[in-house]
Amino acid sequence: MHHHASSLNTAVIGLQFGDEGKGQVVDRLTQSHEVVVRFNGGANAGHSVWIGSERFALHQLPSGILSPGKLCHIAYGCVVEPNGLMEEIEGLRRRGVEVGANLTISARAHVVLPRHVDEDGRRSGAIGTTGRGIGPCYADKAYRDQAVRVGDLFEPGIGGDFGKWAEALHPFVTEEEWPEDRRVLFEGAHAVLLDVDHGTYPFVTSSSCTGRAMPADRRVGVVKAYMSRVGEGPFPTEIGGTAAERLRAVGEEYGTTTGRPRRVGWLDLVALGHAVRAAGVTDIALTGIAVLQRLETFKVARAYRLDGRLTTRFPAQAAALGRAEPVIEDLADVDALINLIDTEVAPVRFVALGRSREELVERGTR
Ligand code: IMP
Ligand code: MG
């Protein structure tokens, strides 16, 4: 059998606080791959994909599920909440999207239990989690003795909710991960600044979001031309007042998972440089410029003032990041913004002019 080189595998990774528009980039790149794999997170993710004027919001399923003929896999490293997943599958089926032999779920993925959701509700306050039981489920995974994996649902003698879930998930569950001989797109959930190691700890999610462990040589980092954040934690370039209200309204910055209004601010090149290095990004996909064009304001931060000094380093400590004051600069236009990223961060390979599949344009190699 002919084996493709792993260099044909691609990872798509969010480089900010999530909601950079990964859904659109994944949807587009899916067309040149055969398999789409999710490798982290669970129902805390919210990926929007626009097909024509129809919006699909995906939480646990890979965005590739909207592309007929592509195999989608929920891999080890993910946490699966069976009730929500079944609802998501039924919701897509009602809209005419096929979900059957095109979906597989790893027996090694962990199961989010009701008690994880309860516990998340009791202790999520300071971090402002999505309340989906993510942290407690990953904690149980590390503890091991109380954890439940998808494969455990099929052990003899399991009853109650577990039996019901086993029946529902049975058609999808596999002990294999993705096929080695096909082109794979690794779809990152959340983003590098929410990564449990590289993010603004402890204001992060509980999974690895960089995709570094996945066998891809091309690593596409998705960057929004401005920034947003849901939940608590430092955000140096955050803006407030009427400017924030306007940006939030024009960008429609409300959470896909929780509906919360997102905090918004300008592009932060200090944080972006850190994220690019952490994820080993080779190409950038830039989204959100249509939003900035409607505001006619193009601002970026290229440095922080921290404890009396100018720095381009991204602090490891959330407290230090919280003290950092961004040095905000005006740019003449969107082209200046693209050039700045291109020359100082990484090559901008894709630019989203709008949010539909067709509006993501590929730029020539420079
Ligand atoms: P958790 O993942 O529910 O534990 O939430 C931890 C933090 O990550 C909170 O600030 C959430 O708002 C944020 N978060 C988790 N997943 C996403 C996402 O997919 N997009 C944006 N923010 C997220
Ligand atoms: Mg999202």
Side-chain angles (χ1 to χ4, degrees):
M1 183 187 282
H2 173 72
H3 283 253
H4 290 290
S6 69
S7 61
L8 298 176
N9 293 346
T10 306
V12 177
I13 305 298
L15 296 182
Q16 294 156 325
F17 294 109
D19 309 305
E20 299 89 355
K22 292 183 291 296
Q24 181 188 22
V25 178
V26 168
D27 179 59
R28 166 61 184 282
L29 293 180
T30 294
Q31 311 315 315
S32 53
H33 292 73
E34 296 160 277
V35 185
V36 183
V37 172
R38 261 196 66 179
F39 56 86
N40 72 309
N44 49 344
H47 292 170
S48 301
V49 180
W50 290 82
I51 295 177
S53 59
E54 261 202 283
R55 174 176 180 270
F56 292 86
L58 299 164
H59 296 286
Q60 302 195 54
L61 291 167
S63 308
I65 206 75
L66 299 173
S67 297
K70 306 297 175 178
L71 177 64
C72 290
H73 181 60
I74 300 175
Y76 74 90
C78 291
V79 292
V80 172
E81 198 285 290
N83 294 332
L85 180 60
M86 294 319 297
E87 263 174 48
E88 203 171 319
I89 291 172
E90 286 311 319
L92 287 181
R93 283 176 175 160
R94 278 197 298 274
R95 293 172 73 178
V97 177
E98 183 210 335
V99 187
N102 57 339
L103 175 68
T104 55
I105 302 172
S106 172
R108 297 177 183 85
H110 277 254
V111 179
V112 178
L113 304 171
R115 66 177 162 81
H116 294 142
V117 178
D118 292 345
E119 188 182 345
D120 201 14
R122 283 197 305 276
R123 57 189 296 175
S124 78
I127 295 172
T129 71
T130 61
R132 300 301 164 101
I134 305 299
C137 184
Y138 279 110
D140 265 349
K141 172 180 175 178
Y143 271 132
R144 289 153 295 169
D145 56 343
Q146 302 286 312
V148 178
R149 303 202 303 175
V150 168
D152 294 328
L153 301 175
F154 301 91
E155 290 296 311
I158 294 263
D161 270 352
F162 287 1
K164 190 187 79 191
W165 293 343
E167 202 175 311
L169 296 183
H170 182 259
F172 309 112
V173 176
T174 170
E175 301 203 325
E176 309 287 319
E177 300 296 335
W178 55 88
E180 294 284 333
D181 59 345
R182 298 215 243 156
R183 289 198 73 179
V184 181
L185 182 72
F186 295 98
E187 174 179 4
H190 328 300
V192 177
L193 300 180
L194 294 172
D195 178 271
V196 68
D197 294 300
H198 300 283
T200 59
Y201 193 91
F203 303 98
V204 294
T205 190
S206 303
S207 66
S208 292
C209 307
T210 65
R212 276 287 208 185
M214 298 297 121
D217 286 324
R218 181 164 71 147
R219 298 174 183 274
V220 179
V222 186
V223 177
K224 191 157 59 180
Y226 57 96
M227 288 174 72
S228 64
R229 176 163 202 170
V230 220
E232 300 306 313
F235 180 179
T237 57
E238 182 173 14
I239 57 173
T242 51
E245 278 165 35
R246 179 87 211 287
L247 179 51
R248 188 177 300 116
V250 174
E252 296 176 33
E253 293 294 348
Y254 297 89
T256 314
T257 301
T258 57
R260 290 181 285 180
R262 295 179 185 140
R263 300 158 63 191
V264 292
W266 306 124
L267 181 63
D268 181 342
L269 293 184
V270 178
L272 183 59
H274 163 76
V276 162
R277 290 186 295 274
V281 163
T282 59
D283 304 84
I284 298 254
L286 182 65
T287 66
I289 59 170
V291 173
L292 285 195
Q293 278 170 322
R294 282 186 57 197
L295 297 182
E296 293 173 335
T297 309
F298 312 98
K299 293 184 198 285
V300 292
R302 294 162 79 175
Y304 299 150
R305 194 173 296 283
L306 176 57
D307 301 334
R309 296 218 177 107
L310 269 187
T311 181
T312 54
R313 264 193 29 234
F314 188 72
Q317 296 298 109
L321 189 61
R323 291 195 303 277
E325 289 167 30
V327 181
I328 300 284
E329 293 175 36
D330 282 305
L331 292 174
D333 52 26
V334 162
D335 288 333
L337 190 89
I338 297 174
N339 276 330
L340 190 60
I341 299 173
D342 218 23
T343 53
E344 298 203 357
V345 185
V348 178
R349 200 71 71 199
F350 299 94
V351 177
L353 302 175
R355 58 197 174 186
S356 76
R357 193 176 269 181
E358 301 74 33
E359 287 171 302
L360 188 73
V361 300
E362 189 160 0
R363 297 171 81 222
T365 320
R366 290 154 39 88

